Amino acid sequence: MTTPWLEVIVRITILVSLLSQVNAGYEANPWSFRGKCLAFEPSKYLQNATVNALEYVRAGTTLQFPLNDPTCNRANQTVSVDVCRIALNITTSSRSSVISEVWLPGTWSGRFLATGNGGIDGCTKYEDMNYGVKYGFATVGSNNGHNGTSGLAFLHNDEVLQDYVWRALHTITSVGKFLTRAFYTISPTKSYFLGCSGGGRQGIHAAELFPHDYDGIVVGDPAINFNNLYSWRASFLNLTGSVNSTGFIKPEPWRGLVHEEVLKQCDRNDGVVDGVVENPSGCKFDPSTLLCGTSNATECLSAAQVQIVKNVFAPLQNPDGTVAYPAMLPGSELQAAGGLYNGQPWATSLDWFRYVVYSDPNWSNTAFRVVDTAAAQSLNPFNVSTYPTTLSSFSATRGKLLLYHGMADGQITPAVSEAFYQYLSSGMNASTSEMDEFFRFFRISGMNHCNSGIGAWMIGQSSLGDSGAGERGGFEAESNVLAAMVRWVEEGVAPETIEGVKFVDDVRGKGVERRRRHCRYPLVNTYQAGNGNLTESWKCL
């Protein structure tokens, strides 16, 4: 006769045994997604790569990345759908490798998506990967060949630099497509790219170098004309002066006094005063009206400060006096006040010159000179400049390129995207209608760098810009740039406008503040009549 406590132990042991058998059978079941994932052997299909992780991730799980460089600020990511996650270390040379992630969704649309990076960093954008699998894309991302936001890894290592400029993205795209085909036993029907800022540069560079990698490329606020961009950013410390210098303009006057004058001169040009400068390229801002003594205003600027404002709204020049990089546009001061105008060296420019241009960790940009601009452009490692005169090979493959740029961008002037469009059009000897066949550019009024801002900035450009189902967001071509690209590629319907939305305080639950249909370049959104926060009050002319 068994004692009661022994009987309980026996019953628990039998129950655990039965549960383990059920669980083992479920994992081994080739018809279940979990079983298929855990039975998959990526190493069978790869060379020069190590599998760091293979796991089934259930929807709602928060993945932890304890080894991720803390400067990336991406310690974890909640996954929206069931995925099979593969983490890889791919060798690219004897001195370099790429840490890559491949996420394969349980409900696959048949599409493939590669995600980009930002700045000069080596940070996997897990949030963009989740955005991709959420909408059914087999999605890849990587650290772009080095870890963290610093450029130190580039010092005396051209292999790591080559990974950053182009090789990492091309590698993870090739590997990702191969594993997608092996896992689902069918090749992706179409392939796409999504990236902003540094990721925008990556996408355009890929269109130039590897025109067959993607059927559709969506890029935002791209870091093109890269060498001169990083010179332009480095130059602002000299223009504004340091924080303690005489006449330094603090963030508050930029966001208050100067911005209010920008609105006074520029906001009404689009037909309605709403705090959003629709077309800042068409406004010639004159800060001399802020000079002390010119009015009875209690707040004003000294003559030296007025000159500072004029200088920051002027283009960067080459040694011969030609324009190296276009000027900042009015309206951008809201964001730039705490960044490029903050009286501190721009960290990524400092790293680029220290670890790439001059290979001198002690270099300082406190006396940035025009010859430094020439030195960076002359070096141009692996053609990082990314300013092609033609994308004819990409166009010939029937590839499509959608570029958007926030018109209040305080980190990369939207004027560079306008200049690039014109430069490419001239280089390809293509009319606007001919450009429209493969390249469409949308100016997003009131949007800062890649996201946020006072305008209708949520256009489906990322997880942040996903306005969500039920708010005409979700994956709808009219209001989502990635969905618009899918429809263009797969149905031949090119986007004429992209509808953006801004919620009150950027909180969905507080309701919609404004909507606007952003026009394809060179058309300009022009107010017609009615409530300026409604789409029907505007027309592309």
Side-chain angles (χ1 to χ4, degrees), residues 2-211:
T2 59
T3 60
W5 62 266
L6 183 59
E7 183 176 347
V8 169
I9 292 176
V10 170
R11 288 183 177 181
I12 291 175
T13 302
I14 294 172
L15 179 61
V16 169
S17 176
L18 289 171
L19 286 173
S20 65
Q21 292 177 43
V22 170
N23 189 51
Y26 178 67
E27 290 185 357
N29 180 5
W31 300 109
S32 76
F33 179 68
R34 182 185 186 190
K36 182 176 182 179
C37 174
L38 297 178
F40 188 54
E41 299 181 71
S43 57
K44 290 173 57 177
Y45 307 97
L46 301 173
Q47 293 182 339
N48 301 319
T50 301
V51 179
N52 293 335
L54 170 68
E55 60 177 330
Y56 164 76
V57 182
R58 188 182 297 276
T61 300
T62 298
L63 291 171
Q64 302 294 330
F65 307 107
L67 301 180
N68 203 20
D69 192 294
T71 62
C72 291
N73 195 30
R74 289 175 171 86
N76 56 67
Q77 176 63 50
T78 300
V79 180
S80 298
V81 298
D82 293 354
V83 301
C84 184
R85 176 192 174 222
I86 306 167
L88 303 168
N89 188 332
I90 307 170
T91 300
T92 53
S93 79
S94 60
R95 304 180 64 204
S96 60
S97 64
V98 176
I99 304 297
S100 176
E101 296 262 346
V102 181
W103 291 8
L104 305 170
T107 303
W108 184 45
S109 66
R111 303 180 182 115
F112 174 86
L113 178 71
T115 59
N117 302 86
I120 59 171
D121 70 39
C123 300
T124 303
K125 289 194 171 184
Y126 300 108
E127 67 275 21
D128 285 352
M129 294 194 64
N130 182 63
Y131 184 59
V133 295
K134 174 183 175 181
Y135 289 117
F137 293 82
T139 306
V140 298
S142 83
N143 73 341
N144 214 27
H146 66 289
N147 293 319
T149 58
S150 168
L152 179 60
F154 301 144
L155 185 63
H156 305 309
N157 194 332
D158 282 352
E159 297 293 345
V160 172
L161 186 58
Q162 188 173 10
D163 281 346
Y164 166 76
V165 175
W166 67 265
R167 188 168 58 189
L169 178 60
H170 180 60
T171 298
I172 67 167
T173 297
S174 300
V175 169
K177 287 182 180 180
F178 199 81
L179 289 179
T180 299
R181 181 170 65 247
F183 183 79
Y184 295 111
T185 70
I186 187 173
S187 296
T189 55
K190 297 294 179 182
S191 298
Y192 299 90
F193 174 85
L194 181 69
C196 192
S197 191
R201 183 202 65 79
Q202 288 175 292
I204 292 174
H205 209 40
E208 180 184 16
L209 293 181
F210 305 102

Side-chain angles (χ1 to χ4, degrees), residues 197-367:
S197 191
R201 183 202 65 79
Q202 288 175 292
I204 292 174
H205 209 40
E208 180 184 16
L209 293 181
F210 305 102
H212 294 279
D213 272 4
Y214 310 110
D215 300 288
I217 294 174
V218 179
V219 296
D221 305 42
I224 49 177
N225 196 358
F226 179 93
N227 303 303
N228 289 328
L229 164 63
Y230 275 68
S231 294
W232 177 72
R233 286 170 161 177
S235 72
F236 279 98
L237 181 59
N238 284 350
L239 299 179
T240 64
S242 61
V243 174
N244 297 320
S245 62
T246 302
F248 176 75
I249 304 174
K250 295 181 179 180
E252 292 77 11
W254 277 113
R255 294 178 178 136
L257 178 67
V258 177
H259 181 64
E260 288 170 7
E261 184 63 24
V262 164
L263 293 180
K264 187 182 297 183
Q265 295 185 29
C266 304
D267 188 15
R268 66 179 65 253
N269 292 354
D270 54 31
V272 62
V273 177
D274 60 356
V276 179
V277 181
E278 187 66 34
N279 182 27
S281 302
C283 181
K284 306 301 180 185
F285 175 61
D286 179 11
S288 62
T289 55
L290 297 173
L291 180 64
C292 295
T294 59
S295 69
N296 294 323
T298 55
E299 289 185 285
C300 59
L301 299 179
S302 68
Q305 289 176 320
V306 168
Q307 191 58 50
I308 288 174
V309 177
K310 288 182 177 180
N311 289 342
V312 300
F313 284 115
L316 177 71
Q317 294 186 332
N318 287 308
D320 62 2
T322 58
V323 173
Y325 197 82
M328 193 73 89
L329 295 184
S332 57
E333 60 279 349
L334 284 178
Q335 184 177 40
L340 288 171
Y341 305 166
N342 71 357
Q344 301 288 337
W346 189 255
T348 55
S349 286
L350 193 62
D351 275 14
W352 187 257
F353 277 90
R354 282 179 171 175
Y355 304 128
V356 178
V357 178
Y358 292 128
S359 297
D360 177 6
N362 296 313
W363 182 84
S364 170
N365 76 329
T366 53

Side-chain angles (χ1 to χ4, degrees), residues 454-502:
I454 60 175
W457 64 269
M458 300 182 75
I459 56 172
Q461 68 270 46
S462 63
S463 56
L464 280 177
D466 183 11
S467 57
E471 283 296 341
R472 287 193 286 171
F475 205 66
E476 299 176 9
E478 292 78 15
S479 55
N480 182 301
V481 285
L482 183 56
M485 176 56 74
V486 167
R487 185 170 69 173
W488 191 7
V489 167
E490 298 178 15
E491 300 178 28
V493 180
E496 294 294 329
T497 61
I498 297 293
E499 182 175 320
V501 62
K502 179 177 176 63

